[in-house]
Amino acid sequence: MKKALSLCVVLFMLLTLLAGCGNSKATGFLAATVPENTPSGTKTITDSVGRTVEIPATVKRMVPLGNTPRMITYLGLADKVVGLGGMDPDKINPVTAYAYANKDLWKSVPIVGTDAAGATDYYPEQIISVKPDVILCSYTKELADEIQTKTGIPVVAVPMGTLFGKDYEDALRLLGDVCGAKDRAEKVISYINACLKDLASRTSNIPDTDKPTVLGAAATFKGAHGIEGVYTKYAVFEAISAKDVTKGISDISNSNFCNDCNSAFCSQRRFPAYSSI
């Protein structure tokens, strides 16, 4: 009886000791009962496609896919990139200004997907190997869910971003919230809007008769194209009140218009027949 009582006392003391160590990093069989990210170390956000995602409270490593590498560059987060999609360091040129600015910084960053010439693919094994805290993308809900399921890493989807549009502001704000750059996001948005206001004040009162006609040709949509790729409602032209010869043929900003089927975003994108060009 005494032996049994002594054993109970020893067990009680052992359990008390283990309970007192609950705040320490557990090892052995206790490790499975202690989550790596405690509630205080995570936060929950809702992304642009309505997905609820739990992410680390502090993001130090990221894999940006789609149009997000450009956006995180504007937010001053390029040094946190540990994997990229579809950027051959030897082929980066000033045309892709954000990538060119980060050419040296990203030259040794592993390629973990393809976002070139309209092709969208990702490599789960490579993404997992670079151990990002979060994956950022401008993809659909279905593709974001698929990437998260296959990698086990939180995926946050943001809008693709219409140039100078509200959805671009939404994307920057969401990325700023996720990555701890809220103040920087607001500064970038304010700077862009100030520039747009300045351009409008300089150009809006110039009569159309004093303006040359312009055409946004050789537009890129799922890869580079020749002159047959045409922008309609081109945001750059609208920002400077330019006399755009495509005015009136589409209500979609920055779209690529096809004269054959009278629609935007057509795969043919043949040059519209304008006699005034």
Side-chain angles (χ1 to χ4, degrees), residues 66-67 70 85-88 91 96 98 113-121 123 139 160 219-225 267 269:
N67 198 34
R70 181 192 306 274
M87 289 188 188
D88 184 342
K91 296 181 180 180
T96 312
Y98 74 92
T114 300
D115 281 311
T120 298
D121 199 3
Y123 315 141
Y139 298 155
M160 174 62 77
T220 56
F221 178 67
K222 293 189 175 180
H225 295 85
S267 60
R269 290 180 300 280

Side-chain angles (χ1 to χ4, degrees), residues 8 59 105 129 134 137 174-175 183 208 224 276:
C8 289
V59 172
L105 181 64
S129 71
V134 67
C137 71
L174 180 53
L175 290 171
D183 291 344
D208 278 353
S276 60

Side-chain angles (χ1 to χ4, degrees), residues 211-258:
K211 300 176 184 177
T213 55
V214 294
L215 174 70
T220 56
F221 178 67
K222 293 189 175 180
H225 295 85
I227 195 172
E228 73 277 7
V230 177
Y231 279 128
T232 61
K233 287 183 68 67
Y234 190 28
V236 173
F237 289 167
E238 294 199 332
I240 60 174
S241 305
K243 190 175 181 180
D244 187 355
V245 297
T246 69
K247 184 177 181 180
I249 69 171
S250 174
D251 292 329
I252 303 175
S253 296
N254 300 323
S255 67
N256 301 86
F257 186 80
C258 173

